[in-house]
Structure formats: C-alpha cells, structure tokens
Amino acid sequence: MDGVSFTRQGRCQERDDVLGTTKPPLSLAWIASVLRQDGHDARIIDLTAAGKTVGELAHFLDEGQFAPTLIIFASCFPTWDADARAMGALKEKTGAPIISFGPHASAAPIDALKRAPVVDGVLVGEPEDGARALANLQPGENWSTVGSLCFRRGDDIVPCRESGRFGGFASAAGPDWGGTDFDHYRLPLVNAPYALVETSRGCPYTCDFCVAPLQQGHQFRERPAPAVVDEIERLQHERRLRYFYLWGDTVTLNQKSIGAIADELIRRRLGIRWIANARADNVTDPALVSRLRASGCWMLSFGIEASVPERRDEMQKRLPEPAIASAVANLRRAGIRSFAFFIFGYPGETLASMAATTDYACDLDIDFAGFYPAVPYPGTELGDRAAAVGWVTDPSDWRQLEYSHYAMKCGELTEASVLKAIARARRRFYLRPRYLARHAWELARIAATKPGITKHVVKQMLARRD
C-alpha cells in the first residue's frame, strides 16, 4: 500500500517494520490445501514478499502460465481500498471473480463491499470451507449456498448466513505451501527463513480491542501434538527450515497440549528453534517453561498492555500482576527471550498513565517491548464504543487503523500526544545503557540484516522528541 509492505495474515494487519518481518501466507496455504484435495490447480502468489507488482503478475498471466477462474486474496482494514483496486485490475485482466477474507471481511463485510464495488464477495470468519464450496460450485449455481459468503448480487449485497469455521482443522495434516519460497520470510533476530505452523484456533478471552475472535470465534480448537510435530519435521526435511513460528492466538493456553508438543519435539531430537504467542498467566510453571526451552523455544511474546491491573480490567484483559512477574522470571531463568506488548491511548488514559506504563516496561526484566496505539477496529467492543461516542476521528478512513496512526481523540489523547508518548517509550526502553550492554550483539545483527527497518524505527523514535 503506497509503497509500504504490510502483513495480512490472520489478525495481523501491520506494517512489516512493526516486527521486522513479512509473515508467510498461512491462510492462503490452508485454502490451497483444501482446493488441491478437490482436484483444483491452486497457486499461492505473495506479491508483498516477492517484491512484485500487480502489473508483473498480470504479465505472468499474459504469458499463459496460469489462467485463474477464481481469485481469493487476503486483506485487512488499512490496506483494503488499495488491495481492492489492485485486485480489480486482475479481475479486468482475467474475468475471474475476486473474493477476499481477513479481519475487515469478518468484522464489517457489508461495509467492505460497499467500499470496493469491484470485489464480488468476502468470506466471513475462517475462509477454508467457504473457499472450497465456492470453487466446487457448478457454472450458474447460486452463490447463496455458501453460508459464510457475503456477496454482490446485481446492485444488492447479500449478507452471509454464518461465520465460517474450518471443519477439517483438527484432523488436517497441514497446509500445502506449494511453490512458496520461504527465503522471502526471515526472522529479524536470526535472519533465517521460517514457517508458520498452526497449533490452535479460537480464543476464549474477551479483550475488547482484539479482532481475533471475529475471525476464529471464542471456542478453542487444537491440532494433536503428533500432527503439529509431523508438519514441523516435514518442513524441516523438505524445505530445510530450522526456525518455526508456532501459530495461534494463545499457543500456551492448554498447558497439557503445549507440553505434549514440547515433549514430542524433545523425543524426536529435531534440533529446531521456535517462537510463539503466549499469555503471561500460562507460563507461570517453571517446569513447563524448562520443557519449552528444551524443545527449542527461544522467544515467547505476550500482551501486558498496561501498567496497572485496573486498566487491564477495563480492556477485559484479566491478567493478575503476580502472573506477569512470574512469567518474566521463568523465561529469564530458562533462557527464553520475552517480548511484551503495551497499548497506549486506551480511552480513559492520560499522559501520566502512558508515562507510568513506560516506567513499568523499563522496570520489568523483559528482552523486547512493543508499544502500540489502541486501534478502534470496527466490530470489536472498543471500536464500536469509540464510534458510538464519537472518539474515532474519521470513521470512513480505514487507512488509519494500524499502528502508525492513532485514530481517536479522547480527552487529552490525540494522535500527536499518543504517538509522541510511544516514541518516548521506545527511546527510554531501548536506549538504556544496561539494555544496550545486554543486547548489543542482537541489536547490531538487526541493524546489519534489516537496515531499512532499523532506519525507519530509529527515525520514529527520534522524530517526536520533547
């Protein structure tokens, strides 16, 4: 979008410089898997990762190497308008209907189609079974038979009947990556290619700012540990990968299950390294954390969000303070890096409370900290409340719904004040002498392997000095 690379995978809808990497297109790989099982010729094309343009893709199609009859693309709130225009050019070139999925489609399907008249439909919820049903329709068969599809019929928009759920998730062997070049996807701290391996879907928690339940619901569903490790071993053997991102909203939610994955990895002696999203209150058992480390875990990320429990309670992020301290201590003791996330600009905050969160982050013994503005995504409780009371500065501008902007005005919270507080927090956290001494090698490696992203982040940190 406008020359900026974005990740559009699951709930992630951020610029690639947020975490320093483009994520592999896992959802498209799952869709390709179910379509190929039914005999369809499915291709995964990631223009962002490959650094290609839609024009170059159109030239590829002109050469007759592939003639799509259905185009399914991932998108998200901030890139939706630009993505739809780009895919519209492919539709004009091929005549194939274009269908999208992602947070925007699950949270605001009718609004998404109103904004993008060229798009034929959006899949609400998990896209796999809906994509399969669409691909298997006979010519002239009614699209209304696809329950999770919100689609255009003449001048009308037909709403979906249900939110999609991938019925084969728990029993699936894994996604089909096809010709995906994993060298395009590199972890910034190690500069090595990696793959996403999905362990679970759904989140039982009710954080009011999160879009994840809009796509995958609140029911927690898991794949068996042997199937997860089979997939890792297969990717290690076939793609020569050593690094993996165990993918799920909260991979450590079921401690028995993540323990079983760890034990299976240890038993097979694969020698791989992995990272995952966690919750602080899921890693308070030192013995479990030690098993995770022994299995190859080298970093866990988790949301802390605010410095005081009362603010977390307002966010419905019910996370007790002792659990945070215990999790951080366990990870440090085991030698697993910790990456904590903090939200700035939540309604009701003040400049003083954001400064207090900065102090709190610096006092914690964490390895990395991400400071992000609260984003009022439509469909979330926070987004709907912010829109209802008039906090959203421009509800029509979805481009603002990402971490480079603050899209609300609430009391003394403005885009300028919140982004200034975030820049100050980054400076304070990452420029501490003790921190620089401990992480000098890692910071130097990031600067050497990701110079563009490093320059952008440093520029953000220094642009809003007091």
Side-chain angles (χ1 to χ4, degrees), residues 289-307:
V289 174
S290 294
R291 288 159 63 200
L292 300 184
R293 173 61 175 159
S295 72
C297 178
W298 65 276
M299 185 166 70
L300 291 176
S301 60
F302 45 85
I304 296 177
E305 322 306 1
S307 61

Side-chain angles (χ1 to χ4, degrees), residues 123-144:
L123 289 165
V124 176
E126 298 173 17
E128 293 86 357
D129 286 348
R132 165 179 263 163
L134 263 177
N136 288 334
L137 288 178
Q138 298 301 311
E141 194 171 354
N142 197 325
W143 280 14
S144 62

Side-chain angles (χ1 to χ4, degrees), residues 100-227:
S100 184
F101 67 93
H104 65 297
S106 295
I110 292 176
D111 286 345
L113 288 179
K114 286 180 178 178
R115 296 175 69 98
V118 71
V119 176
D120 297 290
V122 294
L123 289 165
V124 176
E126 298 173 17
E128 293 86 357
D129 286 348
R132 165 179 263 163
L134 263 177
N136 288 334
L137 288 178
Q138 298 301 311
E141 194 171 354
N142 197 325
W143 280 14
S144 62
T145 60
V146 183
S148 61
L149 181 67
C150 178
F151 65 97
R152 211 176 293 282
R153 179 188 286 157
D155 294 331
D156 298 326
I157 294 176
V158 180
C160 66
R161 300 193 311 274
E162 60 191 15
S163 183
R165 291 292 176 268
F166 182 18
F169 174 69
S171 59
D176 187 340
W177 292 99
T180 299
D181 183 357
F182 284 100
D183 200 51
H184 291 317
Y185 312 96
R186 290 180 167 265
L187 287 177
L189 288 176
V190 294
N191 194 35
Y194 74 104
L196 302 182
V197 174
E198 195 165 19
T199 66
S200 57
R201 291 190 179 185
C203 180
Y205 298 105
T206 57
C207 303
D208 71 351
F209 52 83
C210 186
V211 298
L214 298 176
Q215 289 186 268
Q216 298 190 345
H218 288 290
Q219 182 182 2
F220 188 68
R221 294 159 289 146
E222 302 173 278
R223 296 173 65 203

Side-chain angles (χ1 to χ4, degrees), residues 7 57 90 92 198 275 344:
T7 279
L57 175 57
L90 281 185
E92 184 177 356
E198 195 165 19
I275 65 175
F344 278 37

